[in-house]
């Protein structure tokens, strides 16, 4: 089944240039491998690499002394290293980056036949070359895949956890989706980028032309939407499949991306060595020399000490003005806080005042109610007392009437007593009178 799948894919997916646009030769004076028909350059190495599937592929390494990052470039279909040579040389200079590119099995002067799994083995061999021959660390590598090259690029990116970044240029969702807008992935499909891209852990830049007539613009847009770490994409209005490099925004945006990744790479390198990376003393010395050269260039570009001293007074004035502004801002802030506290206090006082007024009205109302209650009680007492006084008055009247009746009775008795007394006195006097008459 695998062989059938590979043969089907090879028929409609791979179109290597026939014949190849370059040949290989050995320079007798230096013993270096060169590309016939191409100008020999000191900073360009031509290599032959063996893959784990038994093929021998041709690779090309371009060295840039000012670069700190390395681009592993996988070109598109119907192209080889001879056709890409000048373009990639310009990219290496202007970005700036070190650049390694290669021909897939069956392309250019590489042996074997083109297939999906051969491209995976091809890019692995190229990455291993960067590590073993040039001492490049994983976190300093940016994978770049154009069109068909997006397949091996994404496949390798899924397996590298410390990769710096990925660039997808006119990338495909899958091989079958280029021909038909299918909604699902079938077993015979190849380069299933749509299923792999969510597993890429590093930043991804997607570049696609809106007028691409080979790989529809929707491929790039959907890939970008599925990325875990999205970088600002570049949608080139009117751009087709093979002309995006001609637009000025292409190199400008790509350079901006490389610069951003370079800064983040410096931050990682400053945190110390990463465990599990191979160390090469000679390569580390080369890195030190590069950093010294960059430092020297920076020193030259720096202004002299006298110029810095001249600028200091104006800087001091600015600092003083900034300090005064900061103080005024602090005072304003504190004043605002006090005003807010005063406002809240006033609100509380107002609420307390209204509460006191309510309490006072309640107290006066309670007093009135109490006075009313006491008045009612007094009225009730008076009523009860009046009720009690009425029978007493009737009794007193009766007593007075009785008293009026007793007085004549008492007078009569006293008169009778006086009469009796007077009788007794009169009898005594008569007796005395008789005695005196008889005696005299």
């Amino acid at each position: 089944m695998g062989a059938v799948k590979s043969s089907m894919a090879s028929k409609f997916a791979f179109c290597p240039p026939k014949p190849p646009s370059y040949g290989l030769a050995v320079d007798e004076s230096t013993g270096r491998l060169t590309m016939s028909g191409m100008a020999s350059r000191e900073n360009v190495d031509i290599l032959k690499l063996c893959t784990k599937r038994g093929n021998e592929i041709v690779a090309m390494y371009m060295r840039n002394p000012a670069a700190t990052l390395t681009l592993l470039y996988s070109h598109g279909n119907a192209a080889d290293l001879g056709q890409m040579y000048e373009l990639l040389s310009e990219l290496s200079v202007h970005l700036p980056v070190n650049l390694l590119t290669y021909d897939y099995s069956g392309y250019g002067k590489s042996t074997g036949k083109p297939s999906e799994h051969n491209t995976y083995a091809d890019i692995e061999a190229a990455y291993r070359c960067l590590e073993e021959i040039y001492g490049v660390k994983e976190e300093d590598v940016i994978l770049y895949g154009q069109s068909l090259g997006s397949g091996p690029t994404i496949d390798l990116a899924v397996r590298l956890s410390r990769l710096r970044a990925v660039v997808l240029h006119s990338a495909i969702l899958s091989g079958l989706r280029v021909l038909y807008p299918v909604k699902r992935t079938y077993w015979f499909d190849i380069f299933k980028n749509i299923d792999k891209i969510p597993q890429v852990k590093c930043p991804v830049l997607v570049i696609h032309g809106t007028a691409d007539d080979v790989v529809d613009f929707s491929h790039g847009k959907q890939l970008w939407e599925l990325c875990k770490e999205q970088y600002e994409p570049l949608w080139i209005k009117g751009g087709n499949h093979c002309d995006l490099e001609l637009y000025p925004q292409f190199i400008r945006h790509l350079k901006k991306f490389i610069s951003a990744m370079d800064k983040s790479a410096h931050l990682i390198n400053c945190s110390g060595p990463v465990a599990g990376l191979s160390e090469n003393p000679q390569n580390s010395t080369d890195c030190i020399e590069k950093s010294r050269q960059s430092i020297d260039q920076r020193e030259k570009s720096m202004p002299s000490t006298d110029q810095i001293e001249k600028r200091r007074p104006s800087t001091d004035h600015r600092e003083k003005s900034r300090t005064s502004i900061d103080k005024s801002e602090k005072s304003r802030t504190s004043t605002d806080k006090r005003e807010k506290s005063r406002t809240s206090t006033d609100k509380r006082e107002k609420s307390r005042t209204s509460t006191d007024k309510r309490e006072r009205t309640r107290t006066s109302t309670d007093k009135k109610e109490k006075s009313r209650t006491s008045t009612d009680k007094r009225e009730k007492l008076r009523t009860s007392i009046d009720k009690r006084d009425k029978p007493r008055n009737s009794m007193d009247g009766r007593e007075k009437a009785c008293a009026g009746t007793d007085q004549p009775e008492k007078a009569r008795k006293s008169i009778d007593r006086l009469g009796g007394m007077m009788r007794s006195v009169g009898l005594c006097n008569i007796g005395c009178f008789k005695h005196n008459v008889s005696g005299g």
Side-chain angles (χ1 to χ4, degrees), residues 408-421:
E409 290 295 328
K410 287 180 180 181
R412 287 176 185 175
K413 288 180 179 182
S414 62
I415 292 169
D416 290 338
R417 287 177 183 176
L418 287 173
M421 289 175 66

Side-chain angles (χ1 to χ4, degrees), residues 39-281:
S40 179
R41 297 177 182 175
E42 291 295 328
N43 66 320
V44 177
D45 296 338
I46 307 299
L47 311 117
K48 285 185 178 182
L49 307 175
C50 293
T51 73
K52 65 181 182 181
R53 294 176 68 88
N55 297 322
E56 189 177 62
I57 62 172
V58 180
M60 180 170 59
Y61 181 76
M62 299 177 177
R63 188 182 296 102
N64 188 329
T68 56
L69 299 178
T70 300
L71 209 66
L72 178 50
Y73 193 103
S74 300
H75 60 71
N77 202 359
D80 62 18
L81 295 185
Q83 295 174 351
M84 301 295 296
Y85 183 82
E86 292 298 331
L87 173 63
L88 296 182
S89 297
E90 292 296 319
L91 280 181
S92 176
V93 172
H94 288 98
L95 287 180
V97 290
N98 299 311
L99 192 148
L100 177 68
T101 186
Y102 61 99
D103 265 340
Y104 310 118
S105 297
Y107 279 70
K109 290 297 182 179
S110 297
T111 65
K113 292 182 178 181
S115 71
E116 178 188 9
H117 291 286
N118 274 344
T119 61
Y120 296 157
D122 298 338
I123 195 172
E124 284 181 14
Y127 176 74
R128 190 167 61 249
C129 169
L130 286 177
E131 280 192 321
E132 296 175 359
I133 298 177
Y134 296 101
V136 179
K137 298 178 181 179
E138 181 182 329
E139 56 268 25
D140 293 333
V141 175
I142 297 176
L143 299 184
Y144 191 115
Q146 179 183 8
S147 188
L148 180 142
S150 61
T153 294
I154 293 176
D155 185 77
L156 181 60
V158 170
R159 291 177 282 155
L160 297 178
S161 60
R162 297 190 301 273
L163 192 65
R164 173 54 31 214
V166 170
V167 179
L168 299 178
H169 175 169
S170 301
I172 63 175
L173 288 169
S174 71
L176 184 59
R177 284 177 173 85
V178 175
L179 302 176
Y180 304 102
V182 294
K183 300 298 181 182
R184 53 170 291 187
T185 301
Y186 292 90
W187 63 269
F188 54 85
D189 201 354
I190 62 171
F191 299 127
K192 301 165 188 166
N193 296 336
I194 188 173
D195 299 328
K196 297 177 183 178
I197 191 64
Q199 304 173 45
V200 177
K201 302 178 181 67
C202 62
V204 179
L205 166 63
V206 180
I207 304 172
H208 215 107
T210 60
D212 195 323
D213 58 3
V214 177
V215 179
D216 191 74
F217 171 58
S218 60
H219 286 242
K221 191 174 181 182
Q222 192 171 349
L223 284 171
W224 181 77
E225 290 171 352
L226 293 171
C227 290
K228 184 177 290 185
E229 287 195 37
Q230 300 170 332
Y231 187 83
E232 179 186 359
L234 177 60
W235 311 131
I236 299 180
K237 188 175 180 180
N240 209 323
H241 191 67
C242 298
D243 64 353
L244 300 187
E245 296 90 348
L246 303 178
Y247 289 82
Q249 59 264 41
F250 172 83
I251 190 67
R252 185 168 59 247
H253 195 81
L254 189 56
K255 190 173 183 179
K256 176 185 173 183
F257 175 73
I258 296 296
S259 178
M261 295 304 103
D262 193 12
K263 290 178 182 177
S264 61
H266 281 309
L267 292 175
I268 292 174
N269 291 334
C270 289
S271 63
V274 181
L277 296 176
S278 59
E279 296 293 334
N280 191 328

Side-chain angles (χ1 to χ4, degrees), residues 294-311:
S294 62
I295 291 169
D296 292 338
Q297 290 177 356
R298 290 176 185 173
E299 291 293 333
K300 290 179 181 178
S301 63
M302 287 182 180
S304 62
T305 307
D306 295 334
Q307 291 176 346
I308 294 171
E309 290 296 330
K310 288 179 181 178
R311 293 174 186 171

Side-chain angles (χ1 to χ4, degrees), residues 317-335:
H317 286 297
R318 290 177 185 172
E319 291 297 327
K320 289 179 181 179
S321 62
R322 286 178 184 172
T323 304
S324 61
I325 291 169
D326 293 338
K327 288 181 180 179
S328 61
E329 289 295 329
K330 289 180 180 178
S331 63
R332 286 178 184 173
T333 304
S334 60
T335 304

